[in-house]
Structures are given as structure tokens and as C-alpha cells.
Amino acid sequence: MSENQSLKEKTAKGLFWGGFSNGIQQLLNLLFGIFLARLLTPADYGMVGMLAIFSLIASSIQESGFTAALVNKKEVTHNDYNAVFWFNAAISLSLYLLLFLCAPLIADFYKTPELIPLARYSFIGFFIASLGISHSAYLLRNLMVKQRALSSVIGLTVSGITGVTLAYFGFSYWGIATQSIVYVAVNTACYWHFTRWRPSLQFSFTPIKEMFGFSGKLLVTNVFNHINNNLFSVILGKFYTEKEVGYYNQANKWCGMGQLFISGMINGVAQPVLTKVSDDLERQKRVFRKMLRFTAFVSFPAMLGLGIVSEELITITITDKWYSSISIMQILCISGAFTPIAYLYQQLIISKGKSRIYMWNTIALGIILLSGVLLVHAHGIYAMLAVYVSTNILWLLTWHYFVWQEIGLKLRHALIDILPYAVIAATVMVITYYSTRSIENIYLRLASKIVLAAALYVAAMWGSRSVTFKESIQYFIKKKPHEP
């Protein structure tokens, strides 16, 4: 088998397993999320949501961008994985002790004393996660998407059952916190099971110094990414109440499930595949454009479709006590349709070794988002959402500029790859919404929206002779991918 054919098959299998895995994961998230949302209150979700940004930033610091550094490195040895393992473990333990001591300050910031014990308990999760970073990088580098998928599914199942059980017995937000810790622990254990590599007590931090020039920039970038993604939880927690944080977090969770399904599909293949073809600029451009078309083909109908069924979905599954989350979710789904495309742009930049560009671009976006949201926070959550969504969408032009510099992809060609799917999906959703709005039965209306939107989109793809659509169908039927 030729190297080109091997890479094509690995890419296709990676996309398949990534899609299958994330589909199962989001179904599990949906199932357990429904039970939890029915048992818990918006304030319960708000309590955990206010701590999310601290855990995520700490996780980024302890991971320090070494996953991407290991994946992008031409040759990786046992010493590289071993140095990363012990460095991550040491840093995460130090961070946990620091956050343990800072818990009263966090509680004081939000004026919520109950956060002190909750913070000290919740933060255990990122230390456990540090023990699986090298193993995760090993699986990712070797395109072992199936093993990563199984790890996530097992972790979600065990942690979901744990969270629902605790919520049922009245542990409120402690159940959500425990669910997160159990997920990380099980996921890490599965990574160890599926990976042949094991750490040894003899180690040197010399590889850390060699990789830190690249990974250090990703560290800063990831911290700002988490800040960007959790602005609302912090600002709402500071200026509003736990209830508002809970409504936003619930809407963001549902929107996030859709985004993760799409981003997760390409997460296991984009960076390693783009890195492998980085020496051939024209081939890399072809591979990237094909990934771009596939992402747009899936992202726009999925996220815009999620937006138009949000009212029925939330009302049926988690009851109308979460009704205030619906309009927030609809707005977030618009931004969410573009998020996987931005993610793909970022993976291309990282695959070219330009972590510095990735870092400063993300920092600039974070500063603009924070400034804009703070500027309008007094006008309410919808003004903040408008700034947040529009800024994220427009920032795609900035990401594209750097991709153009790296591989020469013209904006006109990118728009040709993206816009047809965006226009068709938006048109389909408008027709679907107005065709079904007179249906009074909420269950029948939900089913009608899903069936009609899917039928119209498939018909539009078939009628427009979409190559991406035909290749996707052919792969599932014949399991034989085409040349990218």
C-alpha cells in the first residue's frame, strides 16, 4: 500500500470514527444531561459554571501545549513522552495546591461562600487529567482515533450514571462536580489501557526545553481560548446571579454538544494529517480545502438545525423551567456554525509550526471579546451575546489572512468552499421554520422540523451535485475513500 493511499485511508477512518464517536458521545451527553437538568436547578449549574474557567485555565497550564508539540515533532522517543508525563504531573500538583489555597478568594470574588469546598473538590479533576496527557498524545500522533473514541464513550457512560445517581439522591451541584472528576479518571485509565507506552522513573527535562518554544505559545493560546469561551460565566457570575449563569451554561452546553460533534470529527485527524503533508504545499492546500468543504457541509445544517429545534428540544427534554435558555441557545448556534471552520484554520496554522501566530491571534481576539462584552454588559445578556457572536464570526477573516500567508489559499476560493453550504442550510432552515410553525403539537412539530430539514438539505445537495455529499455517501456504502 502506498504512503498516499495509507494516509487517505487513515484520514477517512479517522473522520468516520471521529464522527461515530462524537455522535455517541453527544447522545450520551444528551441522555444524561436531560436527567440532570430535570433533577437540578439553574442555580446548581451556575455554581459549577462559575468555577469552570479556573479549572480550564489550570488544565491548560499543566498541559502546556505539549500534546500538539509531541504530535508535530518529526521523531518522538520514550524520553520525550516521559519528560512530558513527569513535568505535567509536577505542574498540576503545584497548581492544585495553589488553587486549594485560593478557593476563599474565588468565593469572595463571586460573593458565594459555598464555592470554597466545591472549588477544592472540583479542582482535583485537572490533576488526574495530567496523568493521561502523554498517553493521549501517543494515541493522537498515531491516529488511534478508535481507541480515543472508546475511551470517551466509556468515560461518559460511567460518569453520567454517577452524576445522575448523586443528583437523584439530593447531592445537587456536588453531583455535577463528581461527574466531571469520574469522567476524567475513567478516560485517563482507558488511555493507559490502550497505549503501549509507560512512564519510567528515570527522566530528564531536556526534551521539555526543546519543545517549550513551540508548546509555550500554545499554552498561552489555550489559556486565552478558555477565557474567550467562558467570558459569560465569569461576567454573569460577577454582575448577575447563579440563575443567569445556569441558563447560559445550559444553552452553551446544548450548543457545545453540536460543535463538539463536528469539531471532534476532525479533531483526531486534522493536525496530524496536515502535518504529514506539510512538505508538499499544493497537496496540503488540496487536503485542507477538502476538509474545509466537509466541515462546512456538516457544520451549517447541524448547528442551524439545532437552533430551529431548540424550543421543542429544551421544553420536551428538560422542561420549561429552562425556557430562558432557548433564545440564548439560538444565538449561540449561529456562532457555533462557524466555530468548527475557525478550528480547522487554527489546526492548519499549528501544523505549519506557527504557534506564535496562533497565540497572538487568539490573544487579540480575547482582548476584543472581553472589552466588547464588558462595554455592553449593563445592557443585558443579549447585547453581550450580539457582540460575542458577531466578533467571533468576523474574526474568521483574520484567521484566513494567516492561512493565505501559509498556503496561498485565496479568500475567494475559501468562500467558494464554504458559502454554498451556509446559504443552502440557512435557506432550508427558514423554509422549515415557516412550514412547521403552525403545528401545535410540540412532539409532532419537532419531528416535522427534523424530517423536513433533513429531506430538503439532502435534496439540495443531490440537486447541486455536491462532490462532498456524494463522496460521503459513497464512503459509507462502499467504505472506499477517494483521493483528497
PDB file of all heavy atoms in Angstrom, residues 11-33:
ATOM      1  N   THR A  11      -7.086   8.889   7.144  1.00  0.00           N
ATOM      2  CA  THR A  11      -7.884  10.108   7.273  1.00  0.00           C
ATOM      3  C   THR A  11      -9.367   9.780   7.246  1.00  0.00           C
ATOM      4  O   THR A  11     -10.149  10.260   8.073  1.00  0.00           O
ATOM      5  CB  THR A  11      -7.539  11.089   6.136  1.00  0.00           C
ATOM      6  OG1 THR A  11      -6.141  11.381   6.173  1.00  0.00           O
ATOM      7  CG2 THR A  11      -8.313  12.389   6.307  1.00  0.00           C
ATOM      8  N   ALA A  12      -9.775   8.961   6.262  1.00  0.00           N
ATOM      9  CA  ALA A  12     -11.181   8.597   6.142  1.00  0.00           C
ATOM     10  C   ALA A  12     -11.671   7.837   7.373  1.00  0.00           C
ATOM     11  O   ALA A  12     -12.747   8.100   7.905  1.00  0.00           O
ATOM     12  CB  ALA A  12     -11.392   7.753   4.885  1.00  0.00           C
ATOM     13  N   LYS A  13     -10.849   6.878   7.833  1.00  0.00           N
ATOM     14  CA  LYS A  13     -11.227   6.118   9.028  1.00  0.00           C
ATOM     15  C   LYS A  13     -11.262   7.023  10.254  1.00  0.00           C
ATOM     16  O   LYS A  13     -12.111   6.870  11.128  1.00  0.00           O
ATOM     17  CB  LYS A  13     -10.250   4.959   9.251  1.00  0.00           C
ATOM     18  CG  LYS A  13     -10.399   3.828   8.242  1.00  0.00           C
ATOM     19  CD  LYS A  13      -9.380   2.716   8.497  1.00  0.00           C
ATOM     20  CE  LYS A  13      -9.529   1.594   7.488  1.00  0.00           C
ATOM     21  NZ  LYS A  13      -8.506   0.536   7.687  1.00  0.00           N
ATOM     22  N   GLY A  14     -10.312   7.964  10.302  1.00  0.00           N
ATOM     23  CA  GLY A  14     -10.294   8.900  11.424  1.00  0.00           C
ATOM     24  C   GLY A  14     -11.539   9.759  11.460  1.00  0.00           C
ATOM     25  O   GLY A  14     -12.134   9.986  12.514  1.00  0.00           O
ATOM     26  N   LEU A  15     -11.957  10.248  10.278  1.00  0.00           N
ATOM     27  CA  LEU A  15     -13.184  11.051  10.200  1.00  0.00           C
ATOM     28  C   LEU A  15     -14.402  10.201  10.570  1.00  0.00           C
ATOM     29  O   LEU A  15     -15.303  10.661  11.273  1.00  0.00           O
ATOM     30  CB  LEU A  15     -13.351  11.624   8.794  1.00  0.00           C
ATOM     31  CG  LEU A  15     -12.395  12.759   8.414  1.00  0.00           C
ATOM     32  CD1 LEU A  15     -12.528  13.079   6.933  1.00  0.00           C
ATOM     33  CD2 LEU A  15     -12.654  14.006   9.258  1.00  0.00           C
ATOM     34  N   PHE A  16     -14.414   8.950  10.096  1.00  0.00           N
ATOM     35  CA  PHE A  16     -15.536   8.069  10.411  1.00  0.00           C
ATOM     36  C   PHE A  16     -15.634   7.814  11.910  1.00  0.00           C
ATOM     37  O   PHE A  16     -16.696   7.977  12.517  1.00  0.00           O
ATOM     38  CB  PHE A  16     -15.388   6.736   9.674  1.00  0.00           C
ATOM     39  CG  PHE A  16     -16.398   5.699  10.119  1.00  0.00           C
ATOM     40  CD1 PHE A  16     -17.713   5.768   9.708  1.00  0.00           C
ATOM     41  CD2 PHE A  16     -16.020   4.669  10.980  1.00  0.00           C
ATOM     42  CE1 PHE A  16     -18.642   4.818  10.131  1.00  0.00           C
ATOM     43  CE2 PHE A  16     -16.938   3.727  11.403  1.00  0.00           C
ATOM     44  CZ  PHE A  16     -18.254   3.795  10.977  1.00  0.00           C
ATOM     45  N   TRP A  17     -14.496   7.400  12.507  1.00  0.00           N
ATOM     46  CA  TRP A  17     -14.520   7.101  13.936  1.00  0.00           C
ATOM     47  C   TRP A  17     -14.720   8.358  14.769  1.00  0.00           C
ATOM     48  O   TRP A  17     -15.351   8.337  15.823  1.00  0.00           O
ATOM     49  CB  TRP A  17     -13.240   6.378  14.346  1.00  0.00           C
ATOM     50  CG  TRP A  17     -13.360   4.898  14.131  1.00  0.00           C
ATOM     51  CD1 TRP A  17     -12.808   4.150  13.141  1.00  0.00           C
ATOM     52  CD2 TRP A  17     -14.131   3.988  14.928  1.00  0.00           C
ATOM     53  NE1 TRP A  17     -13.170   2.838  13.266  1.00  0.00           N
ATOM     54  CE2 TRP A  17     -13.982   2.704  14.351  1.00  0.00           C
ATOM     55  CE3 TRP A  17     -14.928   4.132  16.061  1.00  0.00           C
ATOM     56  CZ2 TRP A  17     -14.600   1.575  14.877  1.00  0.00           C
ATOM     57  CZ3 TRP A  17     -15.532   2.999  16.593  1.00  0.00           C
ATOM     58  CH2 TRP A  17     -15.372   1.749  16.003  1.00  0.00           C
ATOM     59  N   GLY A  18     -14.157   9.484  14.278  1.00  0.00           N
ATOM     60  CA  GLY A  18     -14.382  10.736  14.987  1.00  0.00           C
ATOM     61  C   GLY A  18     -15.846  11.111  14.987  1.00  0.00           C
ATOM     62  O   GLY A  18     -16.413  11.521  15.999  1.00  0.00           O
ATOM     63  N   GLY A  19     -16.498  10.958  13.813  1.00  0.00           N
ATOM     64  CA  GLY A  19     -17.923  11.263  13.719  1.00  0.00           C
ATOM     65  C   GLY A  19     -18.762  10.293  14.517  1.00  0.00           C
ATOM     66  O   GLY A  19     -19.683  10.692  15.242  1.00  0.00           O
ATOM     67  N   PHE A  20     -18.463   9.004  14.395  1.00  0.00           N
ATOM     68  CA  PHE A  20     -19.218   7.989  15.128  1.00  0.00           C
ATOM     69  C   PHE A  20     -19.071   8.190  16.628  1.00  0.00           C
ATOM     70  O   PHE A  20     -20.049   8.172  17.375  1.00  0.00           O
ATOM     71  CB  PHE A  20     -18.727   6.592  14.733  1.00  0.00           C
ATOM     72  CG  PHE A  20     -19.403   5.484  15.476  1.00  0.00           C
ATOM     73  CD1 PHE A  20     -20.681   5.086  15.133  1.00  0.00           C
ATOM     74  CD2 PHE A  20     -18.763   4.836  16.531  1.00  0.00           C
ATOM     75  CE1 PHE A  20     -21.315   4.053  15.815  1.00  0.00           C
ATOM     76  CE2 PHE A  20     -19.385   3.813  17.227  1.00  0.00           C
ATOM     77  CZ  PHE A  20     -20.665   3.418  16.864  1.00  0.00           C
ATOM     78  N   SER A  21     -17.812   8.382  17.057  1.00  0.00           N
ATOM     79  CA  SER A  21     -17.541   8.580  18.480  1.00  0.00           C
ATOM     80  C   SER A  21     -18.275   9.784  19.029  1.00  0.00           C
ATOM     81  O   SER A  21     -18.932   9.724  20.070  1.00  0.00           O
ATOM     82  CB  SER A  21     -16.037   8.745  18.700  1.00  0.00           C
ATOM     83  OG  SER A  21     -15.770   9.406  19.918  1.00  0.00           O
ATOM     84  N   ASN A  22     -18.149  10.900  18.315  1.00  0.00           N
ATOM     85  CA  ASN A  22     -18.774  12.120  18.827  1.00  0.00           C
ATOM     86  C   ASN A  22     -20.286  12.069  18.750  1.00  0.00           C
ATOM     87  O   ASN A  22     -20.965  12.684  19.564  1.00  0.00           O
ATOM     88  CB  ASN A  22     -18.225  13.329  18.072  1.00  0.00           C
ATOM     89  CG  ASN A  22     -16.868  13.756  18.593  1.00  0.00           C
ATOM     90  OD1 ASN A  22     -16.773  14.471  19.572  1.00  0.00           O
ATOM     91  ND2 ASN A  22     -15.807  13.273  17.963  1.00  0.00           N
ATOM     92  N   GLY A  23     -20.816  11.322  17.767  1.00  0.00           N
ATOM     93  CA  GLY A  23     -22.258  11.133  17.741  1.00  0.00           C
ATOM     94  C   GLY A  23     -22.728  10.380  18.978  1.00  0.00           C
ATOM     95  O   GLY A  23     -23.710  10.777  19.627  1.00  0.00           O
ATOM     96  N   ILE A  24     -22.026   9.302  19.316  1.00  0.00           N
ATOM     97  CA  ILE A  24     -22.368   8.527  20.516  1.00  0.00           C
ATOM     98  C   ILE A  24     -22.184   9.382  21.766  1.00  0.00           C
ATOM     99  O   ILE A  24     -23.025   9.373  22.681  1.00  0.00           O
ATOM    100  CB  ILE A  24     -21.496   7.258  20.613  1.00  0.00           C
ATOM    101  CG1 ILE A  24     -21.762   6.333  19.423  1.00  0.00           C
ATOM    102  CG2 ILE A  24     -21.753   6.532  21.930  1.00  0.00           C
ATOM    103  CD1 ILE A  24     -23.163   5.788  19.361  1.00  0.00           C
ATOM    104  N   GLN A  25     -21.074  10.130  21.808  1.00  0.00           N
ATOM    105  CA  GLN A  25     -20.795  10.964  22.977  1.00  0.00           C
ATOM    106  C   GLN A  25     -21.885  12.012  23.199  1.00  0.00           C
ATOM    107  O   GLN A  25     -22.321  12.245  24.325  1.00  0.00           O
ATOM    108  CB  GLN A  25     -19.442  11.650  22.816  1.00  0.00           C
ATOM    109  CG  GLN A  25     -18.250  10.725  22.956  1.00  0.00           C
ATOM    110  CD  GLN A  25     -16.951  11.461  22.746  1.00  0.00           C
ATOM    111  OE1 GLN A  25     -16.698  12.485  23.367  1.00  0.00           O
ATOM    112  NE2 GLN A  25     -16.115  10.941  21.857  1.00  0.00           N
ATOM    113  N   GLN A  26     -22.309  12.640  22.111  1.00  0.00           N
ATOM    114  CA  GLN A  26     -23.325  13.678  22.259  1.00  0.00           C
ATOM    115  C   GLN A  26     -24.685  13.087  22.616  1.00  0.00           C
ATOM    116  O   GLN A  26     -25.468  13.708  23.332  1.00  0.00           O
ATOM    117  CB  GLN A  26     -23.421  14.524  20.982  1.00  0.00           C
ATOM    118  CG  GLN A  26     -22.127  15.221  20.574  1.00  0.00           C
ATOM    119  CD  GLN A  26     -21.316  15.741  21.757  1.00  0.00           C
ATOM    120  OE1 GLN A  26     -21.850  16.396  22.651  1.00  0.00           O
ATOM    121  NE2 GLN A  26     -20.018  15.459  21.759  1.00  0.00           N
ATOM    122  N   LEU A  27     -24.957  11.867  22.140  1.00  0.00           N
ATOM    123  CA  LEU A  27     -26.187  11.197  22.559  1.00  0.00           C
ATOM    124  C   LEU A  27     -26.148  10.885  24.055  1.00  0.00           C
ATOM    125  O   LEU A  27     -27.152  11.054  24.765  1.00  0.00           O
ATOM    126  CB  LEU A  27     -26.386   9.909  21.757  1.00  0.00           C
ATOM    127  CG  LEU A  27     -26.878  10.070  20.313  1.00  0.00           C
ATOM    128  CD1 LEU A  27     -26.909   8.717  19.610  1.00  0.00           C
ATOM    129  CD2 LEU A  27     -28.266  10.713  20.284  1.00  0.00           C
ATOM    130  N   LEU A  28     -24.977  10.433  24.523  1.00  0.00           N
ATOM    131  CA  LEU A  28     -24.831  10.166  25.955  1.00  0.00           C
ATOM    132  C   LEU A  28     -24.939  11.461  26.757  1.00  0.00           C
ATOM    133  O   LEU A  28     -25.584  11.507  27.816  1.00  0.00           O
ATOM    134  CB  LEU A  28     -23.490   9.477  26.224  1.00  0.00           C
ATOM    135  CG  LEU A  28     -23.365   8.029  25.750  1.00  0.00           C
ATOM    136  CD1 LEU A  28     -21.926   7.547  25.900  1.00  0.00           C
ATOM    137  CD2 LEU A  28     -24.306   7.128  26.550  1.00  0.00           C
ATOM    138  N   ASN A  29     -24.277  12.521  26.260  1.00  0.00           N
ATOM    139  CA  ASN A  29     -24.386  13.817  26.925  1.00  0.00           C
ATOM    140  C   ASN A  29     -25.828  14.284  26.980  1.00  0.00           C
ATOM    141  O   ASN A  29     -26.284  14.829  27.991  1.00  0.00           O
ATOM    142  CB  ASN A  29     -23.541  14.854  26.172  1.00  0.00           C
ATOM    143  CG  ASN A  29     -22.110  14.901  26.659  1.00  0.00           C
ATOM    144  OD1 ASN A  29     -21.835  14.702  27.843  1.00  0.00           O
ATOM    145  ND2 ASN A  29     -21.175  15.148  25.758  1.00  0.00           N
ATOM    146  N   LEU A  30     -26.540  14.068  25.876  1.00  0.00           N
ATOM    147  CA  LEU A  30     -27.948  14.461  25.821  1.00  0.00           C
ATOM    148  C   LEU A  30     -28.765  13.672  26.827  1.00  0.00           C
ATOM    149  O   LEU A  30     -29.555  14.244  27.595  1.00  0.00           O
ATOM    150  CB  LEU A  30     -28.477  14.234  24.400  1.00  0.00           C
ATOM    151  CG  LEU A  30     -29.970  14.500  24.170  1.00  0.00           C
ATOM    152  CD1 LEU A  30     -30.292  15.975  24.419  1.00  0.00           C
ATOM    153  CD2 LEU A  30     -30.366  14.105  22.755  1.00  0.00           C
ATOM    154  N   LEU A  31     -28.560  12.356  26.834  1.00  0.00           N
ATOM    155  CA  LEU A  31     -29.333  11.490  27.734  1.00  0.00           C
ATOM    156  C   LEU A  31     -29.102  11.851  29.197  1.00  0.00           C
ATOM    157  O   LEU A  31     -30.061  12.088  29.957  1.00  0.00           O
ATOM    158  CB  LEU A  31     -28.947  10.028  27.487  1.00  0.00           C
ATOM    159  CG  LEU A  31     -29.600   8.991  28.405  1.00  0.00           C
ATOM    160  CD1 LEU A  31     -31.110   8.961  28.181  1.00  0.00           C
ATOM    161  CD2 LEU A  31     -29.001   7.603  28.157  1.00  0.00           C
ATOM    162  N   PHE A  32     -27.834  11.903  29.598  1.00  0.00           N
ATOM    163  CA  PHE A  32     -27.534  12.207  30.995  1.00  0.00           C
ATOM    164  C   PHE A  32     -27.856  13.675  31.326  1.00  0.00           C
ATOM    165  O   PHE A  32     -28.248  13.990  32.445  1.00  0.00           O
ATOM    166  CB  PHE A  32     -26.066  11.905  31.299  1.00  0.00           C
ATOM    167  CG  PHE A  32     -25.736  10.447  31.248  1.00  0.00           C
ATOM    168  CD1 PHE A  32     -24.734   9.966  30.403  1.00  0.00           C
ATOM    169  CD2 PHE A  32     -26.431   9.540  32.029  1.00  0.00           C
ATOM    170  CE1 PHE A  32     -24.427   8.616  30.351  1.00  0.00           C
ATOM    171  CE2 PHE A  32     -26.138   8.180  31.982  1.00  0.00           C
ATOM    172  CZ  PHE A  32     -25.131   7.718  31.140  1.00  0.00           C
ATOM    173  N   GLY A  33     -27.670  14.545  30.320  1.00  0.00           N
ATOM    174  CA  GLY A  33     -27.992  15.959  30.533  1.00  0.00           C
ATOM    175  C   GLY A  33     -29.470  16.172  30.805  1.00  0.00           C
ATOM    176  O   GLY A  33     -29.851  17.032  31.602  1.00  0.00           O
TER     177      GLY A  33
END
